[in-house]
Amino acid sequence: QQQVKQSPQSLIVQKGGISIINCAYENTAFDYFPWYQQFPGKGPALLIAIRPDVSEKKEGRFTISFNKSAKQFSLHIMDSQPGDSATYFCAASYGGSNYKLTFGKGTLLTVNP
Amino acid sequence: DAGVTQSPTHLIKTRGQQVTLRCSPISGHKSVSWYQQVLGQGPQFIFQYYEKEERGRGNFPDRFSARQFPNYSSELNVNALLLGDSALYLCASSFPGVGETQYFGPGTRLLVL
């Protein structure tokens, strides 16, 4: 049972463009929604995270939008750069068990120069 | 400061064998989690240990076991290896608390032939 569905599977964006990755979840108990970035040969690294008491969180070029009623959240990367080319994972957890993350399947982002 | 370290980086085993993977958390972190990442998928939660006690377990068979040592390092053991156990095994450490962030190591890539 896949509790976090992520789309698209892959994404190609031109330098300077906006990259948008979407996730939908099923478990209404989820209360922590992080996004991770993974480069080849490396472990995932936390980019940005949100809790359901806010609808948007911005950190630099990265923004999470959260829609609790639709059970959806998305990552927006503004002014995308070739260095942003990586695999991005959304994840969710609940009940203070932030260690037990449920991940989406990932999105391979390619930013062309 | 050093991040999460894992050893070995790569490993090749044959079906039926046993394997031990090792993880050293970030200095000061007392919690270690293990994840399995199959190629093309997001990481899946296996275990978390805090203060040498198992705090959570994912949906994995009893062939998977782990332990945490007094210095907070951890080992993941997998017995009776199957071809399907081929994956990247990730270790993450955290300092337990509200909003704890999981910091991932580079992983151990296991290939079962």
Side-chain angles (χ1 to χ4, degrees):
Chain A
Q1 180 187 6
Q2 185 189 357
Q3 296 191 52
V4 179
K5 294 183 179 180
Q6 184 171 346
S7 64
Q9 189 173 357
S10 62
L11 182 61
I12 300 175
V13 174
Q14 291 300 118
K15 179 182 175 181
I18 302 173
S19 304
I20 302 174
I21 304 170
N22 301 299
C23 283
Y25 63 96
E26 299 167 2
N27 189 344
T28 55
F30 285 145
D31 60 4
Y32 175 68
F33 303 89
W35 284 89
Y36 280 83
Q37 178 190 58
Q38 186 175 29
F39 292 104
K42 303 286 187 181
L46 179 67
L47 261 182
I48 186 172
I50 198 168
R51 293 194 180 272
D53 51 345
V54 297
S55 60
E56 186 174 283
K57 183 175 181 180
K58 183 177 181 180
E59 290 184 0
R61 295 185 295 110
F62 302 92
T63 300
I64 297 180
S65 297
F66 184 81
N67 186 328
K68 188 174 181 179
S69 60
K71 294 187 287 185
Q72 295 175 345
F73 58 111
S74 60
L75 175 69
H76 291 64
I77 306 174
M78 311 300 288
D79 187 26
S80 298
Q81 299 296 313
D84 296 331
S85 298
T87 300
Y88 292 80
F89 294 95
C90 61
S93 65
Y94 63 89
S97 302
N98 293 337
Y99 60 86
K100 191 175 179 180
L101 294 167
T102 299
F103 283 85
K105 289 190 175 182
T107 296
L108 178 60
L109 173 64
T110 303
V111 181
N112 288 329
Chain B
D1 285 341
V4 177
T5 59
Q6 294 186 243
S7 64
T9 55
H10 294 82
L11 204 52
I12 299 176
K13 292 285 187 179
T14 57
R15 281 179 298 174
Q17 285 190 312
Q18 175 264 342
V19 68
T20 298
L21 311 179
R22 295 175 176 83
C23 170
S24 291
I26 293 171
S27 178
H29 285 190
K30 299 182 178 181
S31 177
V32 168
S33 300
W34 287 95
Y35 288 79
Q36 180 196 65
Q37 186 176 18
V38 174
L39 197 62
Q41 302 288 320
Q44 268 198 295
F45 174 75
I46 309 175
F47 284 113
Q48 199 217 23
Y49 276 78
Y50 172 63
E51 292 283 13
K52 297 173 286 181
E53 297 290 327
E54 183 183 301
R55 202 167 82 166
R57 184 186 182 111
N59 188 24
F60 280 81
D62 292 343
R63 299 186 295 109
F64 289 76
S65 64
R67 55 179 175 169
Q68 187 176 32
F69 299 98
N71 66 354
Y72 303 110
S73 67
S74 178
E75 286 182 351
L76 175 69
N77 294 285
V78 187
N79 294 322
L81 285 167
L82 303 174
L83 296 180
D85 294 331
S86 295
L88 180 68
Y89 288 86
L90 295 162
C91 173
S93 77
S94 63
F95 190 85
V98 176
E100 62 186 85
T101 297
Q102 300 290 303
Y103 295 88
F104 284 85
T108 293
R109 185 159 297 282
L110 172 65
L111 177 61
V112 182
L113 301 176

